[in-house]
Amino acid sequence: MALDAMMRTRTETDSLGSLEIPGEAYWGIHTARALENFPISKRPISVYKDLVKALAMVKQASARANKEIGVLDAEKADLIDRAAQLVIEGQYHDQFVVGVIQGGAGTSTNMNANEVITNIALELAGREKGDYAFLSPIDDTNRSQSTNDVYPTAIKVGLGLDLLTLLDELDLLRKAFLAKAVEFHDVLKVGRTQLQDAVPMTLGQEFHGFATTLGEDHSRLKENAYLLYEINMGATAIGTGITTHPGYGQAVLRHLREISGLDLDLATDLVESTSDTGAFMSFSSSLKRNAIKLSKICNDLRLLSSGPQAGFGEINLPARQAGSSIMPGKVNPVIPEVVNQVAFAVAGADLTVTMAVEGGQLQLNAFEPVIAHSIFQSITWMRRGMHTLRVNCVEGITANRERLGGMVGSSVGVITALTPFIGYSAAAALAKTALLTGRSVADLVVEAGLMSREDVMKQLSPARLSGLEAITAAIPVIPPVADPAGEVGADPQIP
């Protein structure tokens, strides 16, 4: 671009006065004032591309509805429609420059969208940017609308679009864990409760559990998304619909459903819907649930891979980078660690959303900008976190089969499988002896005359230890055992 073109400006005027606007900018005076007023986050709304698309969808649906009901000239409506479509397709996003955190309940965002779409439309008509006498950002592009119905509707539509990509990534991660469950289906290991040895299971069962919990979260997120699909278009300022045509609400709903592909519906009480932000709180909570459960899975992966020599060392995570500037050869579980941190941020964002929802007053919640930023950031970070966890960690996990087999073989926890046959008291005494002597549980049971070698090995088979094969035979009655003093009911004598 030539230097003179870059230095060229145009003058725009609002109720507060006039400002010089860069000639190449598609935004105008209202956006310029927001840039001066809110240098807070240094992050423009364009970082959330689905929010920008959703704003354009709302403007496009409104233009079509206004044309349909006859309150906007067809030529103007078509120009706005075409301009909005270019934004929906991903163009001009760099012109959405207002900060994600702003005062005014989202007015700056709405005006940024009005100005950009209007100036794109003016160029399509062969006119200069800023020729608002021909096409006005407020009178035409914002016809039948208010920030107070456009902004929350755009947030909901944007979140609905963004969620689709999150759900896709979540399902890919679920499938990655499921594939590992199949790969490890025959790898026996010691399960743990409260970090203490419990009973055997397979590594496949453990990874299958990870897949199942992610599948449950997939369902919960979809359920909570429907709370976002109730919109308040046509409510304008406070829900009374002032300045709108009676047919606008249903018309814009129909067009927005078609444009977005989302199952949107119009709120039955527009006053309540304009002031209530509870849907955002519920949706944020479902994101937090998913993030915290994913973090727990990452905790497990870090524990299971710990060591590798002095820790659990049951699985190997892919080595992604050197883990220390002082300890040669050290490799850290950096991928699960970063996902843990994403979860912490999502939990914090959920608290922010909760407080912002509580802070609403009377007919409007002024804090929707921080609500939108918090939830969009959570979705974005979670999607990226899930992707790196799948690609850079889960898909490359391997099992230390020898180590796992050795731990199961020496575990006294296997005696739990024999309690239906020898009784709890006898099992507890044998377990204690096994721990003290390091001897095999199977040998101790056989030597005590409580079961035959054949029966012991049958019950301690991998299939039965992991619960993959149920015990279907009748449980024999274990007769009382006499101790040397002749007392009945005492523990058996342990060799």
Side-chain angles (χ1 to χ4, degrees), residues 12 37 59 78 123 126 248 283 309 311 459:
E12 292 195 13
N37 292 333
K59 298 301 173 181
D78 289 343
E123 284 195 344
Y248 171 78
F283 183 65
Q309 293 172 303
Q459 299 309 324

Side-chain angles (χ1 to χ4, degrees), residues 386-403:
M386 289 177 189
H387 178 79
T388 195
L389 181 63
R390 172 174 59 88
V391 173
N392 295 321
C393 182
V394 176
E395 291 178 347
I397 291 175
T398 57
N400 285 328
R401 292 175 180 259
E402 274 191 34
R403 181 175 176 86

Side-chain angles (χ1 to χ4, degrees), residues 200-492:
M201 63 186 303
T202 66
L203 191 59
Q205 288 172 317
E206 195 162 28
F207 275 74
H208 193 279
F210 297 154
T212 298
T213 199
L214 294 178
E216 291 174 350
D217 281 343
H218 191 284
S219 299
R220 299 297 84 75
L221 283 167
K222 288 180 67 176
E223 289 170 4
N224 277 286
Y226 277 99
L227 297 173
L228 298 174
Y229 292 170
E230 181 186 88
I231 63 173
N232 69 328
M233 289 302 294
T236 61
I238 64 171
T240 60
I242 191 170
T243 74
T244 60
H245 184 281
Y248 171 78
Q250 288 299 323
V252 73
L253 171 66
R254 186 173 68 256
H255 288 296
L256 191 53
R257 285 171 62 103
E258 179 184 354
I259 293 165
S260 68
L262 300 177
D263 189 20
L264 305 171
D265 200 5
L266 204 60
T268 56
D269 187 332
L270 292 178
V271 172
E272 185 276 339
S273 182
T274 303
S275 64
D276 178 50
T277 49
F280 296 127
M281 185 166 60
S282 296
F283 183 65
S284 175
S285 179
S286 67
L287 287 173
K288 182 183 74 172
R289 166 193 159 119
N290 182 207
I292 296 305
K293 291 173 69 176
L294 190 60
S295 186
K296 188 271 180 188
I297 290 172
C298 288
N299 292 341
D300 287 353
L301 294 178
R302 289 191 296 118
L303 274 174
L304 294 175
S305 65
S306 62
Q309 293 172 303
F312 284 16
E314 296 187 2
I315 61 174
N316 306 300
L317 305 185
R320 297 301 305 173
Q321 63 188 60
S324 174
S325 61
I326 189 173
M327 293 173 281
K330 191 173 190 291
V331 178
N332 295 327
V334 294
I335 302 301
E337 285 173 349
V338 77
V339 176
N340 285 134
Q341 292 173 79
V342 167
F344 306 156
V346 172
D350 181 62
L351 179 58
T352 298
V353 171
T354 300
M355 298 308 298
V357 169
E358 186 276 336
Q361 298 158 326
L362 303 178
Q363 278 67 61
L364 185 67
N365 189 307
F367 308 117
E368 286 183 358
V370 76
I371 291 175
H373 165 59
S374 298
I375 302 178
F376 274 111
Q377 176 178 277
S378 291
I379 290 181
T380 302
W381 286 16
M382 285 176 65
R383 181 177 62 247
R384 293 171 181 170
M386 289 177 189
H387 178 79
T388 195
L389 181 63
R390 172 174 59 88
V391 173
N392 295 321
C393 182
V394 176
E395 291 178 347
I397 291 175
T398 57
N400 285 328
R401 292 175 180 259
E402 274 191 34
R403 181 175 176 86
L404 288 165
M407 286 194 286
V408 172
S410 62
S411 171
V412 297
V414 299
I415 201 167
T416 303
L418 305 181
T419 56
F421 305 97
I422 66 175
Y424 184 90
S425 295
L430 291 168
K432 183 178 180 180
T433 300
L435 284 171
L436 291 173
T437 64
R439 297 190 61 198
S440 159
V441 163
D443 290 342
L444 293 174
V445 171
V446 173
E447 290 174 16
L450 298 174
M451 294 179 69
S452 69
R453 173 75 61 181
E454 181 183 359
D455 287 340
V456 168
M457 299 316 295
K458 180 179 181 181
Q459 299 309 324
L460 297 186
S461 68
R464 292 209 172 178
L465 285 177
S466 61
L468 297 177
E469 178 184 301
I471 299 174
T472 56
I475 298 175
V477 176
I478 305 300
V481 178
D483 70 2
E487 296 177 358
V488 176
D491 288 340

